[in-house]
Amino acid sequence: MSVKYIYSKNKLKGEVTVPGDKSISHRSVMFGSIASGMTEITNFLQGADCLSTIQCFQRMGIEIEWKRDFVLVYGKGLRGLSAPEKTLEVGNSGTTTRLMAGILAGQAFGSVLSGDASLNTRPMGRIMAPLNSMGAHIESILDNGCAPLKIEPGILHGISYQSPVASAQVKSAILLAGLYADSETLVTEPALSRNHTELMLRGFGAEVTSSLHEDGSATAGICPCRQLYGQKVQVPGDISSAAYFIAAGLLAPGSELLLCNVGTNPTRAGILKVCEDMGADITYLNCQNTAGRGGEPTADILVRFSRLHGTTIEGSMIPALIDEIPIIAVMAACAEGKTVIKDAAELKVKETNRIDTVTENLRAMGCQVTPTEDGMIIEGGKPLSGAHIRTYLDHRIAMAFSIAGLVAEGETVIEDSQCVDVSYPEFFDTLSRLY
Ligand code: S3P
């Protein structure tokens, strides 16, 4: 167990370039591996989750080379992966498990996927049901709806699937299996989840459609594919990692922070809208957009200390900020008045049950929080006091409560702080450089 001690500081000043986006890094290796030719990835995130993805594809015969400024993936085409000799170890990574299951469902060989203790309790029925209805053969080895998963070869057919959850991992698993199906595959979700798969697969040459409906639901479609083509992928900075510094800049009196080259895809950047709703002083500089060419929009984000007030976060906003709810909850605890978070039952099936882990730790810092079935109600405005934070090895809890510790009175201890390695290994070094 490693612990970090965080003490309150007055202001944070400077520039931060956060590491590459985790979701996009995963996809770049996966799509590069099943494309024909070489894929060159710049700003790839070297966090533990993305390294799990790399290792899995290496075990299936893909050569991946680390250069100084980029990663090279030597793709072998849609049917060029080879049978792994051992279990594919996915570590803590839900994205590796679910997206890779979509790809493996279409292979001519069998495989087994397994992760760490947290991963192996997360629900996999949400991908097994639609993939098996396409003709895949995926079973939960312990018959509990979780990994380890055993995947046997199957002949895949296109389906039109109504997903009960707005989940990019579910949508992406089905779209990836759809590459191998004999007819078009459609996935409709109740609200639009992050669309990195659609944007990037289009860039790799797949025929992908997307439409938004009047009731807020969204459909993505994919046609059976003969070949994907290796690409140059520029991974933007991860807004989920930038979120901690955005909050730090807004909460610590006198702060001014510039976050450079952050991905601002609207299906991911819900936290920026929430900050604005809470009264944040945010300026966007140097905005770029290569979304039409398989890329993603980016901007430099300037944040200055602001007096925040409570807000309501609900409905179709939730998928665009689901991973940022722990740090939004910290901002809410420091803001004047009440914040209500609802329609976010998905929080219960993340790396931890984040309704529980956020509630427990905010309470430890003296904040009044009421957990609900699908979110929480936070009474903000009372100064936070330093506390012993239990992360339960959840990287986003560790980082969110480090920022809470910065603005709290007294010492905060972050238990198992090394869990930040999952998505942001340099987090504590970067934080300590700013004050
Ligand atoms: C991700 C999708 C989200 C998110 C996860 C990464 C992705 O999960 O929470 O951290 O890369 O597709 P769900 O799709 O389950 O909501």
Side-chain angles (χ1 to χ4, degrees):
M1 178 175 103
S2 66
V3 295
K4 279 277 176 219
Y5 297 91
I6 311 270
Y7 302 100
S8 19
K9 297 286 172 213
N10 273 337
K11 54 182 164 191
L12 296 111
K13 294 257 176 195
E15 273 185 34
V16 180
T17 301
V18 293
D21 187 280
K22 182 153 82 72
S23 293
I24 297 171
S25 295
H26 280 299
R27 286 160 171 80
S28 62
V29 167
M30 292 184 188
F31 305 172
S33 297
I34 57 171
S36 302
M38 204 163 71
T39 288
E40 183 185 303
I41 311 164
T42 35
N43 203 28
F44 181 82
L45 169 65
Q46 296 189 37
D49 271 11
C50 297
L51 298 179
S52 295
T53 294
I54 287 212
Q55 208 184 59
C56 288
F57 281 90
Q58 284 173 328
R59 288 216 170 149
M60 292 188 282
I62 299 296
E63 200 186 317
I64 297 174
E65 236 172 60
W66 293 90
K67 301 284 186 190
R68 208 165 68 99
D69 295 326
F70 53 90
V71 175
L72 281 182
V73 179
Y74 294 89
K76 290 200 166 170
L78 281 166
R79 298 182 195 278
L81 299 174
S82 46
E85 278 171 16
K86 291 196 245 164
T87 296
L88 295 167
E89 301 289 349
V90 296
N92 193 242
S93 179
T95 307
T96 310
T97 316
R98 297 196 178 107
L99 271 61
M100 214 164 56
I103 294 174
L104 292 172
Q107 305 304 314
F109 55 79
S111 50
V112 175
L113 295 180
S114 183
D116 68 12
S118 151
L119 187 282
N120 285 355
T121 60
R122 296 180 66 185
M124 294 299 152
R126 54 179 55 198
I127 52 148
M128 284 160 58
L131 293 176
N132 286 343
S133 78
M134 293 176 80
H137 297 296
I138 308 183
E139 64 175 53
S140 157
I141 290 176
L142 302 177
D143 201 19
N144 60 358
C146 300
L149 301 178
K150 187 170 169 206
I151 305 180
E152 295 291 353
I155 305 290
L156 303 185
H157 311 290
I159 54 168
S160 177
Y161 185 66
Q162 295 279 342
S163 175
V165 282
S167 159
Q169 293 182 356
V170 171
K171 171 175 66 179
S172 304
I174 298 167
L175 293 176
L176 287 166
L179 289 170
Y180 296 91
D182 55 8
S183 59
E184 192 187 11
T185 298
L186 297 167
V187 191
T188 298
E189 46 182 355
L192 180 61
S193 65
R194 63 191 69 189
N195 63 356
H196 305 306
T197 295
E198 296 91 303
L199 295 180
M200 200 189 288
L201 272 183
R202 235 175 248 142
F204 274 75
E207 231 179 285
V208 182
T209 56
S210 353
S211 48
L212 256 180
H213 311 296
E214 255 174 36
D215 63 355
S217 63
T219 301
I222 195 155
C223 292
C225 182
R226 284 235 178 96
Q227 201 171 10
L228 297 174
Y229 302 90
Q231 296 295 312
K232 286 192 174 179
V233 180
Q234 292 261 8
V235 181
D238 195 327
I239 186 150
S240 299
S241 299
Y244 305 104
F245 294 104
I246 292 173
L250 295 175
L251 296 180
S255 296
E256 181 170 308
L257 289 179
L258 181 68
L259 297 150
C260 303
N261 184 37
V262 181
T264 50
N265 180 324
T267 65
R268 278 293 291 290
I271 186 172
L272 298 174
K273 162 91 173 49
V274 167
C275 289
E276 284 161 14
D277 289 348
M278 295 177 89
D281 178 349
I282 301 191
T283 311
Y284 303 95
L285 305 161
N286 193 22
C287 301
Q288 317 265 343
N289 195 350
T290 55
R293 286 170 274 140
E296 294 269 343
T298 58
D300 297 342
I301 301 176
L302 179 66
V303 294
R304 296 194 185 92
F305 168 69
S306 307
R307 296 201 186 280
L308 302 182
H309 52 78
T311 187
T312 296
I313 305 164
E314 61 187 333
S316 60
M317 296 166 83
I318 297 292
L321 48 72
I322 189 72
D323 291 344
E324 287 63 74
I325 289 181
I327 188 63
I328 289 174
V330 167
M331 290 198 292
C334 300
E336 262 327 300
K338 186 193 286 194
T339 292
V340 179
I341 301 172
K342 54 186 177 187
D343 304 320
E346 280 293 294
L347 288 173
K348 295 182 189 166
V349 293
K350 295 299 173 187
E351 286 82 333
T352 56
N353 176 335
R354 289 184 178 154
I355 297 182
D356 290 351
T357 46
V358 167
T359 301
E360 175 185 337
N361 287 308
L362 276 185
R363 282 182 175 161
M365 299 187 100
C367 174
Q368 194 187 319
V369 194
T370 312
T372 62
E373 256 317 291
D374 64 351
M376 62 195 87
I377 300 166
I378 299 167
E379 302 289 344
K382 192 171 146 223
L384 298 178
S385 15
H388 187 103
I389 299 301
R390 299 186 68 180
T391 62
Y392 299 95
L393 296 173
D394 184 337
H395 56 135
R396 303 215 181 276
I397 297 295
M399 291 187 275
F401 283 89
S402 299
I403 303 306
L406 268 189
V407 292
E409 298 278 336
E411 180 188 276
T412 292
V413 178
I414 309 287
E415 205 178 81
D416 292 319
S417 58
Q418 85 289 348
C419 64
V420 303
D421 289 355
V422 157
S423 63
Y424 198 165
E426 316 86 39
F427 174 75
F428 289 110
D429 292 343
T430 304
L431 187 60
S432 56
R433 182 170 61 71
L434 296 174
Y435 54 74

